[in-house]
Amino acid sequence: MIFDKIYQYNFPTTILFGAGASKELGDYLLKNNLLKPLIITDKTIAQFDFFKEIIYGLKRKNISVEVFDDIHKNPVKSDVYKGTDVYDISRRDCIIGIGGGAALDVARAVVLRVNHREDLFKYDDLIGGDVYVTNDVPHFITIPTTAGTGSEVGRSAIIADDETHQKKILFSPKLLAKIVFADPLLTLDLPPFITAATGMDALTHNMEAYLAKMPHPLCEGIALEGISLISQSLENAVNRPDLESRSKMLIASIMGAVAFQKGLGVVHSLAHPLSSLLDTHHGLANAVNLPYGMEFNIEGSEYKFRKIARTLELKDETGKAVVEYLFDLNATIGIPHKLTDIGVKQEHIEMLADLAVADFAHPNNPKPVTREDFRQLYSRAL
Ligand SMILES: [Fe+2]
């Protein structure tokens, strides 16, 4: 690791973590004189008892609550515009995102839009739009309900165009939550498939971040501990969930998202096209591709794979053993071994390879990835 350039490292979010953390929300709002929150969530979460309890708890403290839950599974621009209208019309003073990736993406995009009223996609990070994020933004609070994306500690939101479905990334350090209330009790009743898929997304974040090119020892330490916590808890969280396994998964998913400020890699670039082309769940797409992508990465990163193997407490401290571990873990938690099992066909491969090579994640991969590499990786996983 040679530090011949200057790097910026960010660890700014306050996180309140532990069983019952979500119950602290009301007092926090009162202390900060925030009395008119807009809560942004999705329709499924809005039906859960824990959500109703949060709302009830706030109302009991005389906090005026408005809920916006009219969002898509893959959020689109009009969701953000509608949410902003609710914020304006009901004269809110802060925004609370409660949910998984989709709800938190919409919440974060509304946070941006409140004081930035040009077309939303003018702020697209991929065309340098972050420079236009210059105004203040409302006080923003996040409460995760899955252990996967880690979006609660993120600075970006992925929003698609309503017609073209093209995804845009809205990014700014201003979009960080001021505080995260991370309460593992909210994840206790997640169904096994969602637990497995989102959990493997978290594992992919930690592994790809650990291997990513950027020199960042702080994140590498976090990523290795994240990998360790997931290896201790994912199988239990899926098959025998309890507070311990849910707690370890929730903090490990946050650690993965903190660590991937270092970058992601080949696995996310393999996964993103599956979601845009075939609407595959993001975590599932990562889970199936993870062993194959890691096998590709061993060459040149043998030392780091040895450290991952040690972290996983494998007898054989090699990259090959790590890959075998990942296949076994997938089998134990009900993730398919092959892409054909999740609807990918031979005829998709060329198109997938085109999309993957254009993806933003793999330039940070430790080893360069060509279009032909993507084609071979998809074929191998088919
Ligand atoms: Fe991810």
Side-chain angles (χ1 to χ4, degrees):
M1 198 179 294
I2 302 166
F3 287 88
D4 53 356
K5 282 193 289 184
I6 298 165
Y7 298 93
Q8 183 178 328
Y9 302 149
N10 300 295
F11 296 93
T13 316
T14 302
I15 301 167
L16 214 61
F17 189 94
S22 59
K23 294 198 168 52
E24 304 289 318
L25 175 65
D27 285 342
Y28 174 84
L29 292 174
L30 292 178
K31 208 170 77 188
N32 288 277
N33 201 24
L34 299 164
L35 303 174
K36 299 180 80 181
L38 172 63
I39 296 186
I40 298 183
T41 190
D42 63 50
K43 284 199 185 337
T44 312
I45 304 260
Q47 297 308 315
F48 285 141
D49 285 344
F50 72 72
F51 183 83
K52 291 173 185 164
E53 273 166 34
I54 290 173
I55 304 291
Y56 179 66
L58 297 183
K59 285 185 174 166
R60 259 196 349 208
K61 289 183 187 292
N62 288 322
I63 293 167
S64 151
V65 184
E66 188 75 39
V67 176
F68 174 70
D69 63 7
D70 189 12
I71 67 167
H72 290 82
K73 191 177 79 173
N74 286 310
V76 288
K77 194 201 244 180
S78 61
D79 299 339
V80 180
Y81 283 29
K82 278 189 211 161
T84 312
D85 286 345
V86 176
Y87 185 94
D88 289 344
I89 292 162
S90 58
R91 297 172 172 270
R92 301 286 97 191
D93 60 10
C94 64
I95 293 174
I96 304 171
I98 303 183
L104 298 187
D105 275 346
V106 175
R108 185 169 284 116
V110 173
V111 167
L112 168 68
R113 180 149 178 82
V114 165
N115 290 326
H116 297 82
R117 293 302 172 101
E118 304 275 349
D119 185 280
L120 187 66
F121 293 155
K122 184 183 172 187
Y123 307 101
D124 179 3
D125 187 46
L126 295 180
I127 54 167
D130 59 319
V131 299
Y132 301 114
V133 187
T134 50
N135 299 330
D136 287 342
V137 299
H139 199 111
F140 181 37
I141 296 159
T142 53
I143 303 183
T145 60
T146 61
T149 67
S151 175
E152 57 275 12
V153 292
R155 293 167 288 176
S156 59
I158 297 182
I159 304 291
D161 186 274
D162 286 67
E163 274 86 47
T164 64
H165 297 282
Q166 207 187 355
K167 288 184 176 168
K168 311 278 185 183
I169 301 177
L170 308 170
F171 168 87
S172 169
K174 286 173 183 263
L175 304 181
L176 275 169
K178 288 265 191 307
I179 185 165
V180 181
F181 293 88
D183 186 344
L185 291 178
L186 308 190
T187 66
L188 263 187
D189 297 328
L190 281 175
F193 167 72
I194 297 292
T195 304
T198 52
M200 287 304 285
D201 187 28
L203 180 58
T204 308
H205 294 158
N206 280 295
M207 293 190 87
E208 293 213 288
Y210 178 62
L211 293 167
K213 279 196 303 208
M214 178 187 180
H216 199 324
L218 291 82
C219 281
E220 291 187 7
I222 290 171
L224 279 180
E225 183 61 14
I227 292 168
S228 172
L229 287 167
I230 293 171
S231 74
Q232 294 164 37
S233 59
L234 180 54
E235 193 188 332
N236 282 343
V238 173
N239 297 323
R240 292 169 295 280
D242 58 6
L243 182 60
E244 185 185 344
S245 57
R246 292 300 191 185
S247 301
K248 285 180 174 173
M249 283 308 300
L250 186 57
I251 194 69
S253 73
I254 289 173
M255 292 161 85
V258 167
F260 79 59
Q261 63 181 279
K262 183 172 180 277
L264 289 168
V266 61
V267 181
H268 269 76
S269 288
L270 286 162
H272 287 147
L274 294 178
S275 298
S276 45
L277 200 67
L278 304 168
D279 211 25
T280 312
H281 183 283
H282 173 68
L284 177 64
N286 273 320
V288 178
N289 282 300
L290 182 60
Y292 301 96
M294 286 299 128
E295 191 174 38
F296 173 81
N297 274 340
I298 295 171
E299 190 192 0
S301 296
E302 289 84 355
Y303 171 73
K304 281 192 166 175
F305 272 94
R306 195 154 61 242
K307 288 188 79 165
I308 295 175
R310 271 186 208 151
T311 301
L312 294 169
E313 298 181 32
L314 303 180
K315 254 193 248 145
D316 180 10
E317 293 179 354
T318 63
K320 194 166 160 273
V322 172
V323 172
E324 276 164 25
Y325 167 87
L326 293 170
F327 278 124
D328 289 347
L329 177 62
N330 272 344
T332 322
I333 59 173
I335 300 280
H337 190 79
K338 291 279 181 188
L339 289 176
T340 31
D341 300 326
I342 58 169
V344 182
K345 299 195 170 72
Q346 181 69 42
E347 70 221 44
H348 295 132
I349 294 221
E350 297 301 327
M351 173 88 97
L352 288 170
D354 282 340
L355 291 167
V357 77
D359 186 72
F360 64 86
H362 72 85
N364 289 308
N365 199 63
K367 188 174 152 187
V369 201
T370 63
R371 188 188 178 282
E372 178 56 22
D373 291 328
F374 279 115
R375 219 184 53 77
Q376 284 185 19
L377 279 162
Y378 282 128
S379 303
R380 196 162 155 61
L382 200 68

